[in-house]
Amino acid sequence: MKRISMKNLILVLFLTMGSASFAQQISVAELRVEHEDNPLSVETATPRFSWKIKSADKNTFQTAYEIRVGTEKLNLTKELVWSNQLKTEQSILVPYSGAQLQSKKRYFWQVRVKDNHGHTSAWSEVKFWQMGIKPSEWTASWIAVYGKDTSARSPLFRKAFTVKKKIRFATMYITAKGLYEAHINGKRLGDSYLSPGWTSYRKRLQYQVYDVTASLINGVNAIGVTLGDGWYKGRIGFGKQHSFYGDTRALLMQLEIAYTDGTKETINTNEDWKSAYGPIMSADIYDGECYDARLEKTGWSEPVYTEDSSWQNVSVLKKGTEELIGMSSAPVKKHEQFSALKIFKTPKGETVADFGQNMVGWVMLKANGPAGTRITLSHAEILDKDGNFYTLNLRTAKAQNTYILKGNTTQVLEPHFTFQGFRYVKIEGYPGELKPEQLTAVALYSDMEETGRFSTSDPLLNQLQHNIQWGQKGNFVDVPTDCPQRDERLGWTGDAQAFAKTAAYNMDVAGFFSKWLKDLSADQQADGLVPHVIPNVLGGTDGASAGWADVSTIVPWDMYVAYGDQRLLEDQYESMKKWVGYMRSKSINNLWNTGFHFGDWLFYRPDDDNDGRAAVTDKYLIAQAFYAHSVQILINAAQVLGKSKDVSQYTGLLNDVKLAFVKEYMTGNGRLVSSTQTAYVLALQFNLLPEAFRTSAADRLVADIKSYGNHLTTGFLGTPYLCHVLSSYGYEDVAYDLLMQESYPSWLYPVKMGATTIWERWDGIKPNGSFQTPDMNSYNHYAYGAIGDWMYRNVAGIQSDPDAPGYKKMMIQPKPGGGLNSARAELNTPYGWVVSSWKIENGLFKLDVQIPVNTRATVTLPHPLKSDVHGNSRSVEIGSGSYHFECSMKSEAK
């Protein structure tokens, strides 16, 4: 075996410093309020402002800012609400501290900054936010179909009204129990799907806000809304459970119009509305949608429309107990579109289209045929060994969309209230010749900004990164689900905590996780038990599994480090304490060895394990490890929040928990009772072992890896930390061996088998082409994609500093290996783009670094610097700007 060593290291730092007379002015861009661009339903009384600074000067920092807030966009100072000047470097999440803000009101703001070079920026562009509506301000009533809501068909709701004056602005507030699509004057409202999203409906129900000023006309207008079952009434959870939250779909809508003469008018859902059934015969998250175009009511959401006898009165429902909340996460929208790569016949004679990418969304179908023609699209992730369409792993989910044509016209058909996980689509009943251009697959996921890019000189590793990203896209459909295709699609907590760090590299998930964590707090039980899934649709006592319930501490801390959002820690702190309190209450002598636990889910186990090679880790050892980890995180959060008493209390508890771990699970020679990779990884990652035994534990870990032929054996809980531990204890080469391993079990084995997303199991498809057990064999399951965190942090070298969160300060310390000749990562942090790009060329290691304005970085090279300037240091402190480093490289035998 060989290792890379660095000799004769020479730093070549190219600094192009512009003279003062030619210094570039700074500018301000990408203004955000509460992580969002121009949000329409801000509910906090103290919104927070963020911005990014652009400057060509190196080592640029903000020294002061000036913010002004007003109610007139074209002249903020005319109706000035608040202005503030402060000498500070803070440019993210700056809190509003002016007079009390009015609900439903729109505020405009802009900012300018000064830097350490004496420059002052121009005022930024004007941005806005709008305050949410208070509970007491809802005057609309919940409406539903007349009588009991027993039909599987999707109801339509309609209201016509007249506008007689010139409109200044108009705002619609709308939500539903179920899912909704709204139209005004025949045009679809907004570009979001699956609204109002999925929350803990009994406690929290999101409403959406739309600026509909441009949608209304002088004269008669019409609003039309269609409802679907969604997560509220449809199938959700196990055992064909349905109507978990309620058995009646309902609509709540409030349209507020302000006229130029100063008067106002409100159009509410009430007894004046009418309801009928439309062309959607059924719509279910798991089973798909049936659409009969013959039953379309042409023009039903337009002003000029005659309601026939099918339009009935509506029922007005009592107000519910749920809290109506504004949107704090990006809505679900359409994204990438794919044409069919090919359409072919399987050995069984099935007509199948291959879109080349396992994705989540649906297929838009163009068709023209006789009235009554029935076309069915079925969805699958893979083909079987013989090349036939395979859906056994969907379990009871039908995942079918059926369209019945109305005849004599070409239609583009797509579902409204469902989604599928698929790469392949089977088409039945299509009239005439089916061509690729008649099928378009569209990806559907939460509208998160892509913030991370990672690539290397190795195509397989690049495909792995691609698979990680698409696993995230497909499973971040409003909540972080385990899988998107079978009869499950639930917010499993263990998967989410394992993947959260990687998720924050790939995309901006600040709002996404903030919203989901509020549902966690809502569904957490009074004794601190955290359910297995959030929102919880499994039952009150299904929870408290180690490594799953610890999501309540792990994800808030990970999001704080990634985005610097202290308020998120404040909001979740009581939930964090309750979870630690739960574990403490179930422990005896500080040892938590009771209750149900999933353990190291889907760890390596050979099919015919005659010699005990299955990597079984004691579930209570795992529980104790995560107990300690959550206590440590709670201490960290208490320190950030200035809760000194809690710091003292939980520091004592942590010491006791660690002592209990050592006493119960470690022998006198440092061997763990479960001598598995996961056991040593968790013990080392969470600092559970006495200092004197840690090196030998790392050696045992490496020995175990080698005993399996340089393969990992970890499951959901051990895998995220495996390579991190190896790197921390000087085994970077072993970490790379695992990363680059191509045979089962490994990250690249699915890649070699043609995967385009991350699999649930290491061997979802076995080397002989057969499949794992179909009742749990998803081919889009992001948990094992947690290796992406190590790839960004170690291969490319971009690391956040918990002491200066949100990348206010960062470390750039790439660690080349694995036979790679180059690697590059780009990360759009709250301050701007960070770039770390290295290559090995002609015996030289060349590193290019870009650091955003108002941040600092410590660049650490793989070997101590040898120069008069830096002495024998390995590290260089830099500010913003672009830099280039070089050092010589040689390989020598170990």
Side-chain angles (χ1 to χ4, degrees), residues 43 55 90 108 140 175 306 347 439 449 468 619 626 665 742:
E43 300 210 319
S55 174
Q90 185 178 4
F108 300 91
T175 188
T306 302
L439 298 168
E449 178 187 357
I468 292 170
K619 292 183 178 182
F626 274 93
Y665 300 113
E742 297 181 9

Side-chain angles (χ1 to χ4, degrees), residues 294-350:
R294 297 171 300 178
L295 301 178
E296 290 176 347
K297 293 181 177 295
T298 303
W300 72 276
S301 63
E302 296 178 359
V304 180
Y305 177 78
T306 302
E307 297 171 359
D308 60 22
S309 60
S310 66
W311 290 89
Q312 302 293 314
N313 293 331
V314 298
S315 295
V316 176
L317 307 180
K318 292 181 179 180
K319 181 180 179 181
T321 59
E322 68 281 343
E323 178 186 5
L324 296 178
I325 57 172
M327 292 283 289
S328 59
S329 177
V332 175
K333 293 186 178 184
K334 290 180 176 180
H335 292 90
E336 298 89 345
Q337 294 190 3
F338 297 82
S339 299
L341 296 182
K342 60 178 179 178
I343 298 175
F344 60 95
K345 292 286 186 179
T346 68
K348 289 184 176 180
E350 305 154 314

Side-chain angles (χ1 to χ4, degrees), residues 319-444:
K319 181 180 179 181
T321 59
E322 68 281 343
E323 178 186 5
L324 296 178
I325 57 172
M327 292 283 289
S328 59
S329 177
V332 175
K333 293 186 178 184
K334 290 180 176 180
H335 292 90
E336 298 89 345
Q337 294 190 3
F338 297 82
S339 299
L341 296 182
K342 60 178 179 178
I343 298 175
F344 60 95
K345 292 286 186 179
T346 68
K348 289 184 176 180
E350 305 154 314
T351 300
V352 174
D354 177 8
F355 291 96
Q357 173 64 53
N358 195 358
M359 72 186 82
V360 174
W362 55 63
V363 171
M364 297 189 297
L365 171 71
K366 181 185 285 188
N368 188 344
T373 300
R374 188 182 189 92
I375 307 170
T376 299
L377 304 186
S378 302
H379 301 77
E381 296 183 289
I382 55 172
L383 304 176
D384 69 15
K385 187 177 181 179
D386 298 321
N388 293 307
F389 199 69
Y390 180 85
T391 58
L392 285 180
N393 68 322
L394 303 185
R395 301 192 299 218
T396 66
K398 293 180 181 178
Q400 289 181 330
N401 296 330
T402 299
Y403 304 105
I404 303 172
L405 303 184
K406 62 182 178 182
N408 302 319
T409 185
T410 298
Q411 289 186 274
V412 177
L413 300 162
E414 61 182 323
H416 303 77
F417 302 124
T418 188
F419 60 90
Q420 286 86 34
F422 66 98
R423 171 175 171 172
Y424 300 95
V425 171
K426 181 174 67 174
I427 304 97
E428 299 173 282
Y430 191 86
E433 181 185 2
L434 180 63
K435 299 179 181 179
E437 59 266 26
Q438 291 159 334
L439 298 168
T440 302
V442 56
L444 198 74

Side-chain angles (χ1 to χ4, degrees), residues 324-608:
L324 296 178
I325 57 172
M327 292 283 289
S328 59
S329 177
V332 175
K333 293 186 178 184
K334 290 180 176 180
H335 292 90
E336 298 89 345
Q337 294 190 3
F338 297 82
S339 299
L341 296 182
K342 60 178 179 178
I343 298 175
F344 60 95
K345 292 286 186 179
T346 68
K348 289 184 176 180
E350 305 154 314
T351 300
V352 174
D354 177 8
F355 291 96
Q357 173 64 53
N358 195 358
M359 72 186 82
V360 174
W362 55 63
V363 171
M364 297 189 297
L365 171 71
K366 181 185 285 188
N368 188 344
T373 300
R374 188 182 189 92
I375 307 170
T376 299
L377 304 186
S378 302
H379 301 77
E381 296 183 289
I382 55 172
L383 304 176
D384 69 15
K385 187 177 181 179
D386 298 321
N388 293 307
F389 199 69
Y390 180 85
T391 58
L392 285 180
N393 68 322
L394 303 185
R395 301 192 299 218
T396 66
K398 293 180 181 178
Q400 289 181 330
N401 296 330
T402 299
Y403 304 105
I404 303 172
L405 303 184
K406 62 182 178 182
N408 302 319
T409 185
T410 298
Q411 289 186 274
V412 177
L413 300 162
E414 61 182 323
H416 303 77
F417 302 124
T418 188
F419 60 90
Q420 286 86 34
F422 66 98
R423 171 175 171 172
Y424 300 95
V425 171
K426 181 174 67 174
I427 304 97
E428 299 173 282
Y430 191 86
E433 181 185 2
L434 180 63
K435 299 179 181 179
E437 59 266 26
Q438 291 159 334
L439 298 168
T440 302
V442 56
L444 198 74
Y445 52 89
S446 290
D447 194 29
M448 304 163 292
E449 178 187 357
E450 183 176 320
T451 55
R453 304 166 189 157
F454 175 91
S455 61
T456 72
S457 55
D458 187 278
L460 293 180
L461 208 54
N462 295 342
Q463 184 64 42
L464 174 61
Q465 169 64 11
H466 171 95
N467 295 359
I468 292 170
Q469 289 176 313
W470 275 94
Q472 181 172 349
K473 290 176 179 179
N475 283 292
F476 277 39
V477 180
D478 204 53
V479 302
T481 57
D482 59 328
C483 60
Q485 74 294 91
R486 66 191 183 209
D487 56 352
E488 193 166 351
R489 314 186 198 187
L490 304 177
W492 282 97
T493 51
D495 306 54
Q497 70 83 9
F499 189 71
K501 286 183 179 179
T502 299
Y505 274 113
N506 288 332
M507 295 179 174
D508 182 353
V509 293
F512 181 86
F513 273 117
S514 176
K515 171 250 185 186
W516 187 70
L517 286 170
K518 289 182 175 67
D519 286 306
L520 185 153
S521 297
D523 281 344
Q524 186 175 16
Q525 293 190 357
D527 64 355
L529 180 146
V530 176
H532 296 323
V533 300
I534 301 295
N536 182 23
V537 294
L538 299 185
T541 60
D542 288 337
S545 177
W548 270 251
D550 297 278
V551 71
S552 58
T553 58
I554 293 171
V555 172
W557 181 254
D558 288 346
M559 295 303 103
Y560 166 72
V561 173
Y563 300 106
D565 191 344
Q566 184 171 318
R567 186 178 291 177
L568 185 146
L569 276 186
E570 294 170 353
D571 291 343
Q572 296 301 132
Y573 187 74
E574 287 306 312
S575 169
M576 298 165 76
K577 283 185 67 174
K578 284 172 62 177
W579 169 238
V580 169
Y582 178 90
M583 291 184 285
R584 195 174 190 177
S585 72
K586 301 299 180 181
S587 301
I588 299 175
N589 296 324
N590 299 301
L591 190 67
W592 185 30
N593 58 358
T594 59
F596 169 82
H597 301 280
F598 290 110
D600 192 29
W601 190 251
L602 296 181
F603 57 87
Y604 170 73
R605 51 186 176 223
D607 288 335
D608 191 18

